[in-house]
Amino acid sequence: MCRIANDHEFINQVLGPIAKVDNFTKSLLEVNNTIQREGAAQPIIACINRADYMLDKYGPESLRMRQVEINAIASAMSAHSDRVKHLQEYISNKYDIKLPSEPEFELPVNKSLDLVAGGIIDAFDHYGQPSAYVLLINEEKSINFSDQHMIEVHVHRKRPDIRFKRRRFIDLPQTTRLGPNRELLLDDNQEIGLVYFRFGYDPSNYNFEKAWDLRLLLERSRAIKCPSINFHLSGAKKFQQVLDEPIKLERYLEYDEARKVGNKFCRFWALDSEDFSSTEASKIIKSNPEKLVLKPQREGGGHNIFGSDIGPFLESIHSHMDRSQYILMEYIDSPREKNLILLPNDVRDEHRLGSSDLLVSELGIFGSILADGSSPISNRSAGYLIRSKKFGVNEGGVASGYAGIGNIMLHNSSETNTFPATWYS
Ligand code: ADP
Ligand code: MG
């Protein structure tokens, strides 16, 4: 991701055609190109990311992890995820529920919150001005408040000297400006050392006057940005498609690394051919649509198109340039397991509590990186998020109400790669 972020020629080559038909990509790319032209005031770039995976059937009897996407901006849920293990231990103790025990089974410790807090501390320290602040940019109507606030609290526990300012994106044009050395100043000349974006990943986030001027001002400043605009762009889904094979990954990785990483990837198909109807993608859409997912260059859920909806949707797009903003991805057919997603109202519903759902789960691995241009200063990976959703529901978001947070249980078994005992189709 860091190498993509620093490869401006490649970013323009891959996202340039999409920018011609998608205004959001265009605006992000313009901000990045302006910064590259002017020269960044801050050479240090940061990113707190979450790479998401699902289990996929592999051969008749095996499972393997396949990557769904990488989130390079506003990677959420590290604080809640960290607590699930404690919740499960508390409940099993209170109600005398026997959890499978070690050494055969293990509930691994989850360091997700610590990883994210550590990424913020690293970045803040590299700014080198102890009296500066972390500016956490949040939503207009904050639905992720508790997750964001726990990060602030956790940073405070480790480093009480680091103070946060929490502000809505929409309020910043009036309250931010640049100082004489391109310092980012908030309110009464309070210097910002780190801008931590928990917002700004969706076109709707920029629906106010001067929103793009604001993003440019933040990127032009000397404050470290998490993520910087180029790191943000490196998370575009289009990169998954253009780097979907080991040989393509060799642009950035050694031969062995490229194979290890590429083995986690799904198959992708480009859609920008002028003669689309004769492409392999078009044939699969007709013959096996249930094996496919169509995605635009968007984040945050609710944008993907699945299965038999893909064909009619693409038929309504006549220009190959318009099609280029979408990627076509292989559908990951995850094992279903019997479990129950609890929602607040279920507490009073005995029938619901006695029943079960068929769930599929998605694993997210958190990472934090700080780099001086393309040279990493710190590069860590720790902590995880398990989100489970009902089988057949396409979206996977927790805040959007589709998924619940769960936990991993590791099984120390000599038999690897076999289907779990409970596989329901
Ligand atoms: P977003 O940026 O909106 O989160 P994702 O790529 O994560 O986009 O897709 C949203 C959800 O759709 C995922 O959390 C997952 O549940 C489901 N999904 C995405 N890609 C696939 C796939 N290839 N196979 C199966 N489900 C998928
Ligand atoms: Mg996602």
Side-chain angles (χ1 to χ4, degrees):
M1 301 284 286
C2 186
R3 289 172 194 165
I4 295 173
N6 283 285
D7 190 346
H8 296 288
E9 198 189 319
F10 190 59
I11 290 179
N12 277 289
Q13 182 193 323
V14 171
L15 299 182
I18 297 174
K20 292 205 172 101
V21 290
D22 176 35
N23 280 335
F24 182 57
T25 305
K26 181 177 173 212
S27 302
L28 291 173
L29 200 58
E30 270 173 11
V31 172
N32 190 40
N33 287 340
T34 304
I35 300 299
Q36 298 321 312
R37 227 179 13 251
E38 293 176 352
Q42 178 55 261
I44 293 184
I45 59 175
C47 185
I48 290 173
N49 52 55
R50 203 191 65 225
D52 292 336
Y53 302 86
M54 292 171 97
L55 277 174
D56 195 18
K57 285 182 196 166
Y58 179 55
E61 290 225 317
S62 300
L63 290 168
R64 65 172 169 179
M65 284 286 177
R66 315 294 298 278
Q67 187 179 68
V68 176
E69 64 155 350
I70 302 185
N71 303 280
I73 179 167
S75 306
M77 297 281 151
S78 66
H80 301 319
S81 179
D82 183 80
R83 313 191 125 203
V84 177
K85 177 173 153 53
H86 304 296
L87 177 70
Q88 290 181 341
E89 284 167 348
Y90 163 74
I91 294 204
S92 58
N93 184 46
K94 179 163 175 154
Y95 296 105
D96 232 355
I97 300 166
K98 284 256 167 304
L99 292 179
S101 57
E102 292 183 35
E104 207 187 339
F105 290 95
E106 186 192 339
L107 283 178
V109 173
N110 192 352
K111 295 269 184 193
S112 50
L113 181 57
D114 217 42
L115 182 279
V116 172
I120 287 172
I121 293 169
D122 266 0
F124 180 84
D125 283 346
H126 269 81
Y127 186 71
Q129 177 54 267
S131 63
Y133 292 83
V134 176
L135 173 64
L136 188 154
I137 300 181
N138 68 327
E139 314 94 310
E140 276 144 53
K141 258 197 224 146
S142 183
I143 45 170
N144 273 317
F145 169 76
S146 51
D147 186 58
Q148 294 161 4
H149 185 64
M150 281 305 297
I151 293 170
E152 179 179 345
V153 170
H154 200 71
V155 169
H156 175 76
R157 277 194 196 126
K158 292 164 83 97
R159 288 283 301 275
D161 55 306
I162 300 181
R163 293 164 302 163
F164 277 58
K165 297 277 178 188
R166 201 162 179 279
R167 290 292 148 77
R168 303 187 315 166
F169 200 40
I170 194 168
D171 294 331
L172 290 174
Q174 293 79 34
T175 51
T176 47
R177 67 191 176 288
L178 295 188
N181 296 313
R182 294 208 256 172
E183 306 93 334
L184 179 61
L185 301 174
L186 178 78
D187 299 341
D188 284 336
N189 290 335
Q190 286 153 339
E191 186 171 346
I192 302 299
L194 174 67
V195 179
Y196 176 35
F197 286 98
R198 291 297 298 256
F199 198 64
Y201 51 80
D202 189 75
S204 63
N205 303 166
Y206 294 80
N207 274 347
F208 59 94
E209 218 189 319
K210 303 232 167 82
W212 286 106
D213 293 344
L214 168 66
R215 183 73 195 258
L216 185 59
L217 178 123
L218 299 173
E219 299 296 336
R220 271 182 171 146
S221 77
R222 272 190 53 212
I224 296 176
K225 274 74 63 180
C226 179
S228 53
I229 183 75
N230 54 342
F231 248 132
H232 181 177
L233 283 169
S234 74
K237 293 182 166 71
K238 186 72 181 176
F239 289 112
Q240 285 183 278
Q241 180 232 305
V242 295
L243 296 172
D244 68 342
E245 288 175 49
I247 193 146
K248 299 177 188 164
L249 282 167
E250 283 177 38
R251 182 180 180 100
Y252 298 116
L253 301 175
E254 298 294 333
Y255 182 89
D256 287 349
E257 284 178 318
R259 261 126 210 101
K260 270 192 199 159
V261 174
N263 280 342
K264 299 282 173 285
F265 290 175
C266 287
R267 276 197 75 190
F268 288 87
W269 294 266
L271 299 170
D272 34 19
S273 160
E274 280 184 60
D275 183 17
F276 181 62
S277 58
S278 63
T279 59
E280 193 193 343
S282 168
K283 284 177 194 135
I284 301 177
I285 290 169
K286 287 203 183 88
S287 59
N288 291 94
E290 72 289 349
K291 297 215 159 109
L292 300 168
V293 184
L294 184 75
K295 301 185 181 185
Q297 306 308 303
R298 293 286 181 273
E299 304 290 331
H303 304 290
N304 299 341
I305 296 173
F306 289 80
S308 57
D309 292 338
I310 296 173
F313 178 81
L314 283 179
E315 270 162 35
S316 70
I317 303 176
H318 298 294
S319 144
H320 69 281
M321 286 174 66
D322 278 335
R323 271 196 310 269
S324 72
Q325 63 186 298
Y326 296 91
I327 56 167
L328 191 62
M329 181 179 186
E330 184 184 351
Y331 179 78
I332 304 169
D333 189 12
S334 266
R336 284 66 97 168
E337 299 208 61
K338 277 191 181 167
N339 212 318
L340 189 62
I341 294 188
L342 284 180
L343 295 168
N345 291 339
D346 293 336
V347 173
R348 292 168 199 278
D349 183 347
E350 272 181 34
H351 170 71
R352 170 95 176 107
L353 291 180
S355 68
S356 64
D357 301 320
L358 277 187
L359 304 185
V360 290
S361 297
E362 189 167 343
L363 167 72
I365 303 284
F366 288 93
S368 84
I369 178 163
L370 189 71
D372 187 350
S374 52
S375 314
I377 299 168
S378 74
N379 183 11
R380 303 197 190 102
S381 164
Y384 59 86
L385 167 71
I386 292 285
R387 290 175 298 169
S388 300
K389 63 174 184 180
K390 280 190 206 171
F391 173 65
V393 173
N394 288 328
E395 292 302 329
V398 174
S400 45
Y402 294 109
I405 306 178
N407 203 1
I408 298 179
M409 181 170 283
L410 295 180
H411 184 195
N412 298 318
S413 161
S414 53
E415 292 165 47
T416 51
N417 253 346
T418 49
F419 281 164
T422 48
W423 173 288
Y424 301 92
S425 53

